[in-house]
């Protein structure tokens, strides 16, 4: 379910090949590691629109803010479409038997707590929807993240994606999403942030 999430979010994070588990001060942290929202300075918005091959599109938008430099919250939204012109054929033929579409959405509200000047912990809830031909699906899951700020310019990050995520389809089938563990280190110049 939701393979478009493997395409990722955020221009800087994609430029780093997805090595963003220890990244901070970016609304995309709601996707990469919610604990990274603890580096936010004020309200931030990020948006991305990607044209993919074969008439597919992926849109991403994230909002994030902090409260009293202790609590941080955000909302990440993904919209994926393979188009409404997918052709179905039961055999070799020039004309399709039918035409259908594939539309998927994911909403990820995030919440982060700064435990101390060095430690932060965060999580998000994933709410997913899919409409594919005559099937529809609904999924729910979560991500949990932890960051440790070694120095002002160095951060360590750990994240568990989908520890208990599940996706149900209208035809009664169920898909368990396997958990993924990620760790990373980030070094940056604070004066550039």
């Amino acid at each position: 379910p939701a393979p478009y999430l493997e395409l990722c979010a955020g221009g800087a994070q994609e430029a780093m090949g997805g090595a963003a588990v220890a990244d901070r001060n970016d609304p995309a942290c709601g996707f990469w590691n919610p604990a990274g929202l603890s580096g936010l300075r004020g309200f931030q918005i990020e948006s991305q629109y990607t044209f993919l091959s074969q008439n597919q599109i992926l849109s991403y938008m994230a909002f994030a803010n902090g409260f009293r430099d202790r609590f941080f919250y955000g909302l990440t939204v993904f919209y994926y479409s393979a188009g409404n012109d997918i052709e179905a054929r039961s055999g070799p033929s020039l004309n399709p038997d039918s035409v259908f579409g594939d539309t998927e959405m994911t909403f990820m509200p995030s919440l982060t707590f700064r435990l101390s000047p060095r430690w932060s912990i965060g999580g998000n809830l994933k709410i997913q929807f899919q409409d594919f031909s005559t099937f529809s699906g609904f999924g729910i899951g979560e991500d949990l993240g932890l960051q440790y700020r070694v120095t002002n310019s160095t951060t360590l990050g750990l994240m568990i994606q989908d520890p208990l995520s599940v996706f149900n389809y209208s035809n009664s089938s169920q898909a368990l999403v396997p958990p993924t563990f990620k760790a990373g280190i980030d070094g940056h110049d604070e004066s550039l942030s």
Side-chain angles (χ1 to χ4, degrees):
Y4 57 92
L5 292 179
E6 296 295 323
L7 297 174
C8 308
Q13 294 81 0
E14 287 185 23
M16 295 187 301
V21 176
D23 196 18
R24 305 176 67 241
N25 189 26
D26 193 315
C29 291
F31 172 76
W32 292 100
N33 183 350
L37 293 175
S38 65
L40 286 176
R41 295 185 186 124
F43 181 72
Q44 295 185 25
I45 299 174
E46 183 172 86
S47 179
Q48 180 176 323
Y49 189 83
T50 308
F51 292 103
L52 303 168
S53 64
Q54 300 179 350
N55 201 27
Q56 300 175 80
I57 59 164
L58 176 65
S59 297
Y60 148 80
M61 183 169 269
F63 307 87
N65 199 3
F67 180 73
R68 297 192 179 184
D69 205 33
R70 186 109 177 140
F71 304 99
F72 302 86
Y73 54 92
L75 176 64
T76 304
V77 179
F78 287 92
Y79 172 81
Y80 167 80
S81 174
N84 292 319
D85 57 353
I86 302 171
E87 298 177 353
R89 291 179 172 82
S90 57
S93 164
L94 290 177
N95 296 322
D97 296 333
S98 65
V99 177
F100 62 93
D102 179 17
T103 303
E104 303 182 44
M105 291 190 77
T106 298
F107 298 91
M108 300 170 66
S110 303
L111 186 59
T112 299
F113 301 99
R114 180 177 286 154
L115 303 172
S116 72
R118 295 194 181 274
W119 288 96
S120 61
I121 188 170
N124 65 37
L125 177 67
K126 289 181 185 174
I127 303 165
Q128 300 172 319
F129 302 94
Q130 181 177 15
D131 185 20
F132 180 78
S133 184
T134 59
F135 295 101
S136 62
F138 173 77
I140 192 156
E142 66 290 312
D143 298 331
L144 304 170
L146 180 69
Q147 283 191 345
Y148 177 71
R149 195 168 186 183
V150 180
T151 66
N152 284 343
S153 61
T154 306
T155 306
L156 301 175
L158 176 66
M159 182 170 166
I160 303 170
Q161 275 185 307
D162 301 306
L164 300 171
S165 297
V166 66
F167 202 93
N168 293 300
Y169 292 96
S170 59
N171 65 352
S172 300
S173 66
Q174 186 178 57
L176 294 174
V177 182
T180 305
F181 297 87
K182 297 180 179 181
I185 186 169
D186 179 65
H188 62 277
D189 186 349
E190 260 321 287
S191 64
L192 299 176
S193 300

